Amino acid sequence: MSESKTIQLPIVGQVDRRTVFKVAGATLGAAAFAKAVAPIVEWASQDTSADEFLQKHFKELSSDQLTQVMHRLEEETKEEYGADVTISDVRPQPGVKFGYALNLSICIGCRKCAEACHKENNHDRASGNSYIRVLEMDKGSLDLESGNADYDHPVRQPDKFYMPVQCQQCDHPPCVNVCPVEATWKEDDGVVVVDYNWCIGCRYCEAACPYHARRFNWTKPEVPAEEINPDQGYLSNRIRPQGVVEKCTYCLHRTREGRLPACLEACPTGARVFGNLLDPNSEISYVLRTKRVFVLKEELGTRPQFFYFFDT
């Protein structure tokens, strides 16, 4: 008969990231946890500074501490990429809840939105990563799993329609519920964010997302200095470290300052609509009142705040 072991839980208020790794490993099972976090363990042992590894959770940082963290990240970007950047923390505006709508009748599948996302969010150039997948769909079908995201022929095709899919900013986000270290959460304006310095790369959120909207950063991003977008947000488009899961944030570094998402500005047909759901006079509110809108996988109860509609 094997001897039972007692797990000593950490004292509340004294939890650091090393303790999190230990407790998560005991809770999840050694084999499953080791395999899930192998990339982040290797990254942490090789490329992580002591300051970064011991940094507090975003919600626990004082204003001065956050300023110091952002300054450190700016210096690291200059050292590693040769680019001068400004990293800010723009907070949600009172009385604002963001929503997005997309007119599938006029989307032509050109992928200009995905290209703009790639550049705006400082994605790794070699991988061509983007937070947006554009699916080529058979007319009459809404089966996402049968959509083709790798088409390479001219668009539009007469028997097809095109459905861009990105983070749905769910009201009940399953990705948040499964995170073992609370590295991801939903902000007051409806945007689901990630503290990339707190994420341990276990990828449970990626597995939980029914929209395939999260991306794992397998390698250190390669972005030429002259192509780096210097206008960066701590919770949005700063260059993410290797070994973390990342996602669309509705370009919160732009939208919280009254600008539009990069993907919307790049759309050549005007298929995208963005705005404040709490403002009855906003364009997004008008769309929801006057169009027959639907959300993806409504039966799951995630309550997406990303809406789709056809003109007819």
Side-chain angles (χ1 to χ4, degrees):
M1 184 173 181
S2 61
E3 181 181 354
S4 62
K5 296 183 179 180
T6 301
I7 298 173
Q8 183 65 44
L9 295 177
I11 300 173
V12 175
Q14 297 181 354
V15 180
D16 62 20
R17 298 189 79 193
R18 291 183 179 86
T19 305
V20 166
F21 272 104
K22 293 177 182 178
V23 174
T27 304
L28 300 173
F33 186 78
K35 186 173 182 179
V37 303
I40 192 70
V41 171
E42 181 179 356
W43 159 73
S45 64
Q46 295 179 359
D47 301 322
T48 310
S49 67
D51 286 343
E52 183 176 354
F53 192 72
L54 297 175
Q55 178 183 315
K56 293 180 180 179
H57 190 286
F58 175 83
K59 293 183 178 181
E60 297 176 341
L61 293 170
S62 67
S63 178
D64 288 343
Q65 289 172 330
L66 180 57
T67 298
Q68 292 174 8
V69 168
M70 292 189 294
H71 180 63
R72 186 192 79 229
L73 293 171
E74 291 170 349
E75 290 183 334
E76 290 176 357
T77 303
K78 177 66 173 179
E79 179 180 350
E80 296 178 20
Y81 293 91
D84 293 308
V85 304
T86 300
I87 300 176
S88 62
D89 173 44
V90 187
R91 296 298 171 98
Q93 299 178 20
V96 172
K97 182 180 181 182
F98 289 129
Y100 217 136
L102 205 148
N103 186 345
L104 297 176
S105 296
I106 59 176
C107 176
I108 59 175
C110 65
R111 296 195 182 106
K112 293 294 185 183
C113 55
E115 179 182 349
C117 174
H118 176 75
K119 295 178 179 178
E120 180 70 26
N121 290 290
N122 293 307
H123 285 293
D124 173 62
R125 294 302 190 254
S127 67
N129 192 17
S130 172
Y131 296 140
I132 302 172
R133 291 182 305 139
V134 182
L135 302 179
E136 185 176 69
M137 309 278 287
D138 292 330
K139 286 187 175 179
S141 170
L142 282 175
D143 180 12
L144 298 184
E145 307 310 320
S146 66
N148 177 18
D150 300 316
Y151 58 89
D152 58 2
H153 48 251
V155 292
R156 332 171 54 173
Q157 295 292 310
D159 57 341
K160 306 291 185 180
F161 74 96
Y162 299 86
M163 174 177 284
V165 180
Q166 58 202 80
C167 178
Q168 307 290 292
Q169 312 296 354
C170 305
D171 268 349
H172 302 306
C175 54
V176 169
N177 295 336
V178 301
C179 179
V181 295
E182 299 183 2
T184 183
W185 65 92
K186 190 174 184 70
E187 297 257 279
D188 290 342
D189 57 4
V191 180
V192 177
V193 297
V194 181
D195 183 347
Y196 297 116
N197 282 53
W198 195 256
C199 173
I200 62 172
C202 68
R203 302 176 66 195
Y204 290 151
C205 61
E206 184 181 16
C209 175
Y211 307 104
H212 309 291
R214 292 195 172 227
R215 307 284 184 271
F216 186 71
N217 214 353
W218 289 100
T219 61
K220 178 182 176 180
E222 296 181 6
V223 190
E226 65 274 13
E227 295 182 18
I228 289 177
N229 178 4
D231 176 20
Q232 300 181 9
Y234 179 85
L235 292 174
S236 54
N237 69 328
R238 64 183 172 98
I239 299 179
R240 280 73 62 196
Q242 178 184 354
V244 302
V245 179
E246 54 182 279
K247 64 179 294 297
C248 162
T249 62
Y250 281 173
C251 291
L252 64 79
H253 57 285
R254 296 167 59 102
T255 53
R256 287 180 177 175
E257 293 185 336
R259 295 184 288 162
L260 293 169
C263 54
L264 185 151
E265 289 190 346
C267 179
T269 66
R272 290 172 169 268
V273 179
F274 180 84
N276 182 8
L277 295 169
L278 303 182
D279 178 3
N281 297 316
S282 67
E283 187 176 1
I284 184 71
S285 293
Y286 173 80
V287 167
L288 298 187
R289 282 197 310 269
T290 62
K291 304 293 184 179
R292 296 182 61 184
V293 302
F294 66 93
V295 295
L296 298 182
K297 302 187 178 183
E298 182 179 12
E299 69 278 6
L300 298 180
T302 59
R303 295 190 61 184
Q305 299 304 290
F306 197 107
F307 308 89
Y308 295 90
F309 64 99
F310 291 95
D311 281 334
T312 55

